[in-house]
Amino acid sequence: MTSGRLRIWTTVHKWTALVSTLFLLMMCVTGLPLIFRGEIDSWLEGETAPVSVPAGTPRASVDSVLEAARTKRPGEFVQFAVWEAHAPDVVLLSVAPTRDAPPDGNRIVRVDAHTAQVLDDFPLEGRLTTFLLKLHTEMFAGFYGKLFLGFMGLMFLMAIVSGVIVYPPFVKQRPYGSVRWRPARRATWLDLHNLLGMATLGWALMVGATGMINTWADFAIKAWQYGQLFEMTGQTDLAAPQRLSSLDRALEIANEAVPGTEPYYVAFPGSLLSSNRHYAVFMRGETPLTSRLLTPVLVDAETGAFTATRPMAWYVTVLLLSQPLHFGNYGGPWLKAVWAVFDIATIIVLVTGLYLWASRRRRSSSEREMPRAADIAS
Amino acid sequence: MSSLRTPLAVAAIVLAALLLALVFDGTVDVLMSAILLAALAFSGWRSIR
């Protein structure tokens, strides 16, 4: 590489990293506990466990589960019903003061799937992990916060790519992974920065890219609402249902419409992910990969009639796949531990990068000072 | 560019392991984690020799 090109790429690496470092540090530090979000919630909030039942015990009807939540929160509206794969004995219901309220301020009602008894009822806001997630994803600045952090993600990716390009001239002929443990601390920090930067390269590229994609979630949802959802309903000004039909029946219809899948969650009429009139049942596959891919089925929430189904739009599928790959919650505790190791290594890369920049600035300014001191002496 | 060969190979192994863990059953995540940690350890073994 010519010295001119090296200078350009070094400048790109320096400035893209400098611009994004503070925000990336914030995201790495808040992202570390978020890897263990479920565990922290269980530990801090003390969630009630469902009743232990013998295998094969039939579940309560979903309508009775909904009724239990409505009795607990009278006058409020269920917006989402969720069946999480890792907690099959619990139904999570997201409840809002109005049927079309933004879901950020919702309460979560956990209901035992077998007994239809309410286990817990708590607001989403006020939890430590909700605070960390909001800081991590939008810095409490809403849509613009997400866009800004998406831009920081792009800077991070540029810093990684330019870092790879300038890596060979900096390490010269030293073997990969060698660190000069010398009193000259700058060389040691530089070697550690290079070593950990390259060791975390694959993970950082993936987490950076998927994090950037996640910041476009609002766009993807809007595009889906005005695209595929509109295609399926055929119109936008649909009347709200006078009374809701059976959700059990809607789930049966969805199972018949997309065989070999199971319901993951239902968006109720008027909520963020459905029309004004339909139950949107999101079906997931049964293999580890297809369980991340959703197929929407619309069922008229007043008449209970099947309306339409489509394979999910590609941009939503990309978003759905990028979420586990960003948060590392698609394996078990070991994978989470690996995520934590990479996260901490990335924090060290960022801190060593800052140290290298600051020490170089100090050195250049002292070099500039020296001739002046010599001039004065002469 | 020969100095890039090993780190890029490690990065490719890490990326492949992470994606395989998504495709296959969650029970193989221990194996994937072992591959990832081995790749990470390989990255640094020279530094502790």
Side-chain angles (χ1 to χ4, degrees):
Chain A
M1 190 185 300
T2 63
S3 62
R5 279 192 178 178
L6 177 62
R7 201 174 305 122
I8 290 170
W9 281 113
T10 307
T11 307
V12 170
H13 184 62
K14 181 173 83 176
W15 285 108
T16 50
L18 272 179
V19 165
S20 59
T21 288
L22 280 182
F23 299 99
L24 289 170
L25 266 176
M26 179 276 289
M27 284 190 269
C28 285
V29 170
T30 54
L32 191 57
L34 286 174
I35 298 168
F36 305 99
R37 188 182 178 187
E39 290 81 354
I40 292 172
D41 278 344
S42 303
W43 180 55
L44 287 182
E45 312 297 335
E47 291 174 346
T48 309
V51 173
S52 180
V53 293
T57 304
R59 289 163 176 243
S61 73
V62 179
D63 290 326
S64 64
V65 167
L66 291 177
E67 199 48 47
R70 287 181 184 128
T71 306
K72 181 76 180 173
R73 309 289 317 165
E76 298 188 8
F77 296 81
V78 176
Q79 285 192 331
F80 302 96
V82 186
W83 292 265
E84 288 189 306
H86 66 270
D89 297 334
V90 175
V91 184
L92 293 181
L93 300 170
S94 182
V95 181
T98 61
R99 52 197 294 281
D100 55 357
D104 294 5
N106 281 11
R107 294 184 73 86
I108 299 296
V109 180
R110 294 173 70 244
V111 183
D112 191 310
H114 292 101
T115 64
Q117 297 295 310
V118 172
L119 299 170
D120 302 297
D121 165 26
F122 54 85
L124 265 177
E125 287 188 348
R127 290 192 153 201
L128 174 66
T129 52
T130 309
F131 171 83
L132 291 173
L133 187 68
K134 279 207 145 192
L135 186 58
H136 184 87
T137 55
E138 57 172 71
M139 296 190 303
F140 298 96
F143 175 71
Y144 294 103
K146 285 181 193 173
L147 279 190
F148 178 77
L149 289 178
F151 180 66
M152 289 301 112
L154 181 66
M155 292 286 107
F156 180 48
L157 292 176
M158 286 172 68
I160 293 172
V161 171
S162 54
V164 171
I165 293 170
V166 301
Y167 175 82
F170 273 89
V171 298
K172 299 192 175 77
Q173 294 307 313
R174 285 195 309 281
Y176 174 54
S178 62
V179 176
R180 292 166 290 179
W181 300 105
R182 289 178 185 167
R185 284 191 305 176
R186 196 170 187 281
T188 307
W189 286 114
L190 176 64
D191 289 351
L192 276 176
H193 182 78
N194 287 337
L195 165 65
L196 289 174
M198 292 306 273
T200 56
L201 173 65
W203 180 86
L205 273 175
M206 192 182 73
V207 170
T210 52
M212 195 173 68
I213 292 168
N214 282 329
T215 63
W216 304 334
D218 290 355
F219 283 123
I221 290 170
K222 281 285 171 219
W224 182 76
Q225 283 174 333
Y226 289 105
Q228 194 171 55
L229 185 61
F230 177 72
E231 278 173 28
M232 287 197 286
T233 58
Q235 50 185 317
T236 50
D237 53 346
L238 293 162
Q242 294 298 310
R243 52 170 288 281
L244 291 175
S245 61
S246 164
L247 185 55
D248 283 295
R249 180 65 195 134
L251 295 179
E252 282 172 22
I253 290 170
N255 272 317
E256 287 162 14
V258 195
T261 60
E262 60 179 10
Y264 178 20
Y265 62 89
V266 176
F268 281 62
S271 68
L272 184 68
L273 295 174
S274 188
S275 76
N276 203 29
R277 186 176 178 86
H278 294 88
Y279 288 127
V281 185
F282 291 85
M283 307 297 286
R284 65 180 163 204
E286 290 167 341
T287 68
L289 181 62
T290 59
S291 68
R292 305 279 168 188
L293 307 174
L294 303 180
T295 306
V297 180
L298 291 188
V299 178
D300 191 305
E302 185 170 300
T303 65
F306 170 78
T307 302
T309 183
R310 296 269 196 294
M312 183 56 96
W314 67 268
Y315 45 88
V316 180
T317 300
V318 170
L319 180 68
L320 291 170
L321 286 176
S322 74
Q323 286 171 343
L325 287 172
H326 185 74
F327 285 104
N329 56 358
Y330 57 96
W334 284 98
L335 200 66
K336 288 185 179 186
V338 168
W339 232 256
V341 169
F342 276 116
D343 189 288
I344 292 166
T346 305
I347 291 174
I348 297 171
V349 173
L350 294 171
V351 171
T352 50
L354 263 184
Y355 171 81
L356 290 168
W357 171 73
S359 68
R360 191 174 179 85
R361 265 176 68 90
R362 262 204 313 273
R363 203 172 61 178
S364 343
S365 62
S366 64
E367 276 167 6
R368 275 198 304 274
E369 290 298 322
M370 278 177 70
R372 275 187 226 146
D375 289 345
I376 292 162
S378 67
Chain B
M1 283 295 158
S2 64
S3 53
L4 267 179
R5 205 173 296 146
T6 311
L8 287 183
V10 171
I13 291 169
V14 168
L15 209 49
L18 294 174
L19 294 173
L20 282 172
L22 183 66
V23 174
F24 291 107
D25 192 282
T27 52
V28 299
D29 74 303
V30 175
L31 177 65
M32 292 305 150
S33 307
I35 294 173
L36 286 170
L37 287 174
L40 196 61
F42 175 73
S43 306
W45 78 279
R46 280 201 184 92
S47 66
I48 54 172
R49 269 202 314 180

